[in-house]
Amino acid sequence: MILNIKHYVSYNMGELFKKGHLAVGILAGLGPALIMVYFILEGNTSFGIKHVSNFYCMLGMLAAVLHPLYFVNRDYSSKTISLINNSKQNRKNYVLANIYISLLVSFLYATVGLLMILAASHLGVPGDLTVPFLLGFFTNVFLLVLTYFLFVYVLILHGIRSAAVYVILTASLLFVHNILSNVVIGTDNKFLSSLIENFPGYFYPVMVGSNPLSPLQYFIGILSLLILFALVLSKSRKIEI
């Protein structure tokens, strides 16, 4: 039997909705952002619209990556993946189906984030909502979610335990870029600074909610995405039946 990508995506997206996983994840992203909106409107802070978008991305991006990761981790942890990994075609379809889920989830999070930003601006949160900023926000969300999903997918395929995978993902999205920021601030070495600033693990979490990436960063980001996709597909095809 060939795995039907459309049915797999439809069934699992329905599960995310029915079990409330999507609602919880989106609320986790919106919560800090809405609190920031409240304090800005009350005049208790001088922050602006980019602080709101950054606070949305702080937990929102982690939640967005966790949704598609949930299915892959579930199937490999429970060994039910053996029912799917019975042919090269099914292994390929399984990878593509989960990538489609990550794209749908990222589209949902990007749309909700965009609507939240527009609503905050309409309510009086200061800051210029330029077209490049809004397009950059939308594009960055897509690239970040898909890149980090494929990154942890590679870890799962190499036998990393689920607990370690979640710790690595959380650290990568919430803490590692702060450490790298301190390195950039504290060094006079321009080569090292440039290296860190063009590292996807740094610029995605830092820039996703605040600014479009530079052309070089988009190039590196897309190249990284293609490499991760090739690694996932290649490793999946080599799984022994």
Side-chain angles (χ1 to χ4, degrees):
M1 181 181 291
I2 299 299
L3 176 69
N4 186 300
I5 295 177
K6 184 179 178 181
H7 289 171
Y8 178 90
V9 172
S10 176
Y11 179 83
N12 285 311
M13 284 300 294
E15 187 177 329
L16 286 180
F17 276 105
K18 290 174 184 175
K19 289 188 174 181
H21 292 175
L22 273 174
V24 171
I26 289 174
L27 286 175
L30 286 175
L34 295 179
I35 292 172
M36 179 57 62
V37 170
Y38 171 78
F39 280 110
I40 292 173
L41 295 179
E42 287 296 311
N44 296 326
T45 172
S46 59
F47 290 162
I49 198 70
K50 289 188 178 181
H51 294 93
V52 175
S53 57
N54 271 324
F55 269 75
Y56 172 72
C57 291
M58 185 174 61
L59 292 180
M61 296 302 94
L62 176 60
V65 179
L66 287 176
H67 295 314
L69 173 63
Y70 165 73
F71 298 116
V72 177
N73 189 54
R74 176 199 62 186
D75 293 340
Y76 275 86
S77 297
S78 64
K79 307 297 183 186
T80 54
I81 191 65
S82 60
L83 301 173
I84 300 170
N85 284 343
N86 53 12
S87 70
K88 288 184 178 180
Q89 186 63 50
N90 274 349
R91 289 195 288 272
K92 178 184 175 183
N93 286 1
Y94 182 77
V95 172
L96 294 176
N98 282 292
I99 288 177
Y100 288 143
I101 290 176
S102 71
L103 287 172
L104 290 173
V105 168
S106 60
F107 176 78
L108 184 62
Y109 273 76
T111 302
V112 170
L114 211 55
L115 292 175
M116 185 270 301
I117 293 169
L118 293 172
S121 178
H122 181 72
L123 288 173
V125 173
D128 294 330
L129 286 185
T130 61
V131 172
F133 166 67
L134 295 175
L135 286 177
F137 174 84
F138 211 79
T139 306
N140 293 350
V141 170
F142 267 96
L143 291 174
L144 183 151
V145 173
L146 193 52
T147 300
Y148 276 82
F149 167 66
L150 289 173
F151 167 62
V152 291
Y153 200 160
V154 170
L155 299 181
I156 291 172
L157 288 173
H158 283 82
I160 307 296
R161 291 183 178 275
S162 57
V165 166
Y166 286 119
V167 169
I168 292 170
L169 176 63
T170 304
S172 300
L173 278 170
L174 299 184
F175 304 111
V176 170
H177 62 282
N178 286 324
I179 298 172
L180 295 175
S181 292
N182 290 328
V183 174
V184 171
I185 294 171
T187 182
D188 294 327
N189 189 321
K190 291 184 179 179
F191 175 75
L192 179 60
S193 295
S194 176
L195 201 63
I196 293 174
E197 288 168 355
N198 290 300
F199 171 53
Y202 173 77
F203 64 68
Y204 275 139
V206 169
M207 305 282 279
V208 61
S210 57
N211 287 298
L213 306 178
S214 69
L216 177 60
Q217 288 170 332
Y218 277 121
F219 173 76
I220 293 172
I222 292 172
L223 182 62
S224 303
L225 198 57
L226 293 175
I227 292 172
L228 288 169
F229 175 67
L231 288 174
V232 169
L233 209 53
S234 173
K235 183 67 178 176
S236 297
R237 282 174 173 167
K238 292 177 182 174
I239 294 174
E240 294 182 1
I241 300 174

